[in-house]
């Protein structure tokens, strides 16, 4: 194996959870290309637009009572809305209604979807920020105006409330409706893995997914364990601040890219996860301890879960002897037989490829063979 990072990728040795329902494959592909092992479990599902009676009702209401302003928030949501209306036989009526209103587009992609439908937007913010859209509406004055807001599955905290408080009549157009996944088993498995600290990071791309993830944990009685894992051991990455709200309400710190897109989210994880890995000079080798693998002199070595548990225990105090009894306690499904430690240790040494990285201290336990002249440049 070559010893450059392009061979194994910046996320090699890390396990990342993906909770998305929409664009999950795209996100998983981005992560896998950078070396990550991906565990996917959709935390919710999306009701098909044409089957959603709430959207149909809202659309018919707008056609019957034309708003003054319509705000389109996502390209895929706007296109889906028009396609659903066509399926119901009211597509032309919807387009005619929207052609008569002040149509605001949240960003360039939405603007493109609007023009593809034969419409023209009145304005679009350069920042792609809903806060800028809100500021413009409030500056224009909204008292007595009817405003249609195309939602895209995520809440917009304060947006509707601010417009209503300023005197607007806000009509919400629910383009997506979120429901629990039809098969709950993958989500339950991800919750179990998260509680056991089996993930290095977990990603969320919508606030409903984050809320559903925590809600299912609470239903199963796992919420304390999940919150503990997310606060202490599992990196929580959100595509943006709105998505992070349900997590932050539980005092969970989140990682967010400056640009609220999947690409920047993955790039940020590529920087943060390896930076948090423990790097030690051991027996003349550079050892970087990742989630489920170890880089030994830049060669990626996959290690079984029991071995990783032992290695993390030894690395907490590198160079110090750790007793067999203490190591037994960290082994997954550990019993009372200390021979289990010896078996797992033998497998760990074999997986690392350099047995002398770990020394046996007779009648005491094991230790990492930390170089006596350890250079602080390896510390992270």
């Amino acid at each position: 194996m070559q010893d450059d990072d392009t061979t194994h990728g910046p996320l090699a040795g890390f396990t990342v959870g993906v909770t998305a329902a929409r664009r999950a494959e795209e996100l998983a592909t981005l992560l896998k290309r950078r070396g990550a092992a991906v565990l996917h479990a959709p935390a919710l599902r999306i009701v098909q637009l044409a089957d959603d009676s709430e959207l149909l009702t809202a659309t018919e209401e707008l056609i019957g009572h034309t708003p003054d302003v319509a705000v389109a928030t996502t390209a895929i949501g706007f296109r889906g809305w028009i396609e659903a209306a066509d399926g119901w036989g009211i597509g032309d009526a919807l387009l005619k209604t929207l052609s008569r209103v002040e149509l605001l587009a949240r960003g360039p992609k939405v603007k493109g979807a609007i023009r593809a439908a034969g419409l023209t937007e009145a304005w679009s913010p350069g920042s792609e920020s809903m806060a800028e859209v809100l500021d413009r509406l409030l500056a224009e004055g909204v008292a007595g105006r009817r405003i249609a807001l195309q939602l895209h599955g995520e809440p917009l905290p304060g947006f509707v409330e601010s417009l209503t408080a300023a005197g607007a009549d806000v009509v919400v157009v629910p383009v997506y409706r979120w429901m629990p996944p039809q098969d709950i088993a993958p989500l339950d498995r991800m919750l179990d893995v998260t509680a056991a600290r089996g993930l290095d990071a977990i990603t969320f791309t919508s606030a409903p997914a984050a809320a559903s993830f925590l809600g299912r944990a609470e239903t199963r009685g796992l919420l304390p364990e999940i919150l503990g894992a997310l606060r202490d051991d599992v990196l929580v990455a959100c595509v943006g601040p709105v998505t992070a709200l349900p997590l932050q309400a539980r005092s969970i710190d989140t990682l967010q890219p400056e640009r609220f897109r999947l690409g920047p989210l993955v790039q940020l994880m590529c920087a943060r996860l390896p930076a948090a890995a423990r790097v030690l000079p051991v027996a003349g080798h550079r050892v970087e301890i990742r989630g489920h693998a170890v880089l030994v002199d830049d060669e990626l070595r996959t290690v079984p879960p029991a071995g990783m548990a032992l290695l993390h225990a030894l690395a907490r105090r590198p160079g110090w002897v750790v007793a067999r009894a203490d190591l037994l306690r960290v082994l997954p499904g550990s019993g009372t037989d200390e021979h289990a430690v010896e078996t797992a240790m033998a497998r760990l040494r074999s997986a690392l490829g350099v047995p002398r990285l770990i020394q046996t201290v007779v009648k005491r336990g094991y230790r990492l063979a930390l170089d006596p002249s350890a250079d602080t440049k390896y510390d992270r």
Side-chain angles (χ1 to χ4, degrees), residues 230-267:
L230 298 184
R231 288 169 183 161
D232 301 330
D233 298 304
V234 181
L235 179 71
V236 181
C238 295
V239 77
V242 172
T243 297
L245 287 173
L247 297 153
Q248 292 175 341
R250 297 282 191 171
S251 301
I252 296 169
D253 292 331
T254 63
L255 188 68
Q256 302 165 30
E258 290 185 6
R259 294 181 61 245
F260 309 146
R261 298 288 186 272
L262 297 185
L265 177 67
V266 173
Q267 290 171 6

Side-chain angles (χ1 to χ4, degrees), residues 24-163:
E25 185 175 348
E26 178 183 352
L27 177 54
T29 298
L30 289 172
L31 292 166
K32 289 175 182 177
R33 282 177 182 167
R34 288 153 181 82
V38 174
L39 178 63
H40 177 227
L44 38 74
R45 63 186 170 97
I46 305 170
V47 173
Q48 293 296 320
L49 291 169
D51 297 332
D52 196 338
S53 59
E54 292 181 30
L55 177 59
L56 174 58
T57 300
T59 304
E60 290 176 333
E61 183 182 349
L62 288 180
I63 292 172
H65 186 181
T66 303
D68 300 292
V69 181
V71 181
T73 60
T74 63
I76 188 171
F78 187 81
R79 287 195 299 268
W81 184 20
I82 301 301
E83 289 170 4
D86 281 338
W88 296 322
I90 55 175
D92 289 342
L94 175 59
L95 290 175
K96 185 176 181 180
T97 297
L98 293 176
S99 69
R100 297 198 298 261
V101 309
E102 181 184 355
L103 188 54
L104 307 183
R106 185 180 63 89
K109 290 183 179 180
V110 191
K111 188 190 302 184
I114 288 172
R115 293 183 180 181
L119 301 169
T120 304
E121 79 287 348
W123 177 80
S124 180
S127 65
E128 301 185 46
S129 166
M130 287 300 289
E132 192 173 343
V133 175
L134 178 61
D135 288 343
R136 176 186 171 90
L137 287 170
L138 294 177
E140 287 181 344
V142 296
R145 302 184 81 192
R146 183 173 168 83
I147 300 174
L149 174 63
Q150 172 242 313
L151 294 180
H152 58 293
E154 297 184 3
L156 296 171
F159 194 95
V160 174
E161 292 85 349
S162 296
L163 292 176

Side-chain angles (χ1 to χ4, degrees), residues 261-322:
R261 298 288 186 272
L262 297 185
L265 177 67
V266 173
Q267 290 171 6
L268 190 54
M269 294 174 69
C270 287
R272 291 291 293 272
L273 272 176
R278 191 72 184 273
V279 182
L280 297 167
V282 183
H285 298 269
R286 179 187 183 277
V287 176
E288 180 177 333
I289 303 171
R290 295 190 170 188
H292 63 263
V294 180
L295 286 175
V296 180
D297 296 330
D298 290 321
E299 183 170 353
L300 190 69
R301 297 280 186 171
T302 300
V303 178
M308 287 305 305
L310 295 179
L311 190 56
H312 282 297
L314 294 172
R316 288 191 189 100
R317 301 185 74 186
W320 291 65
V321 178
V322 182

